[in-house]
């Protein structure tokens, strides 16, 4: 599986046309990672993923995409979502019931004492 890291520390466009471009950029990434015949110029196979999902928080998703809703998601609609930010396992479990950005929340992340831990939601 591939997870697209949609965070504001990366470089994204701004303004209404920029938000549309950001969604198109993410759609292109999904297409590349989903295409089993995709090959780079160096001949390295990069496609063939069975799953492509989105890793982000609601604040970052809204800033980068403008939260276009289902009609504006295009090829992003229905992708699984991985939501970070919980401070405890209980909060991570609770985050499984949040509305996803593109589809269903399938993984949540929480801050353990020395590392980030993940919780697989029951979907």
């Amino acid at each position: 599986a591939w997870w697209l890291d949609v965070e504001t520390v990366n470089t994204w466009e701004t303004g209404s046309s920029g938000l549309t471009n950001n969604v198109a950029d993410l759609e292109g990434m999904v297409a590349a990672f989903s295409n089993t015949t995709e090959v780079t110029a160096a001949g390295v196979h990069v496609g063939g993923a069975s799953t492509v999902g989105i890793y982000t928080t609601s604040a970052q998703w809204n800033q980068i995409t403008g939260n276009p809703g289902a009609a504006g998601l295009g090829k992003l609609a229905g992708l699984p979502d991985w939501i970070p930010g919980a401070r405890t396992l209980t909060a991570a479990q609770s985050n499984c019931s949040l509305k996803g950005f593109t589809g269903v929340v399938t993984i949540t992340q929480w801050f353990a004492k020395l590392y980030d831990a993940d919780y697989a939601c029951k979907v």
Side-chain angles (χ1 to χ4, degrees):
W2 294 96
W3 292 93
L4 303 181
D5 188 7
V6 183
E7 296 187 69
T8 55
V9 295
N10 302 324
T11 302
W12 299 96
E13 293 187 37
T14 58
S16 61
S17 64
L19 298 177
T20 300
N21 290 343
N22 293 342
V23 171
D25 184 42
L26 291 165
E27 287 179 311
M29 289 184 223
V30 168
F33 287 117
S34 299
N35 185 349
T36 58
T37 60
E38 184 72 24
V39 177
T40 67
V44 179
H45 182 70
V46 296
S50 59
T51 303
V52 179
I54 302 293
Y55 173 89
T56 193
T57 63
S58 60
Q60 293 178 102
W61 179 255
N62 291 340
Q63 184 176 338
I64 293 165
T65 68
N67 196 16
L73 285 175
K75 295 176 184 170
L76 303 178
L79 296 179
D81 296 317
W82 178 2
I83 300 178
R87 299 284 179 196
T88 65
L89 172 58
T90 302
Q93 291 168 329
S94 177
N95 283 350
C96 288
S97 64
L98 294 175
K99 182 179 185 282
F101 313 108
T102 57
V104 176
V105 177
T106 58
I107 302 174
T108 60
Q109 190 173 71
W110 60 285
F111 302 109
K113 292 184 181 187
L114 300 175
Y115 56 88
D116 290 340
D118 296 313
Y119 179 79
C121 302
K122 295 173 182 149
V123 289

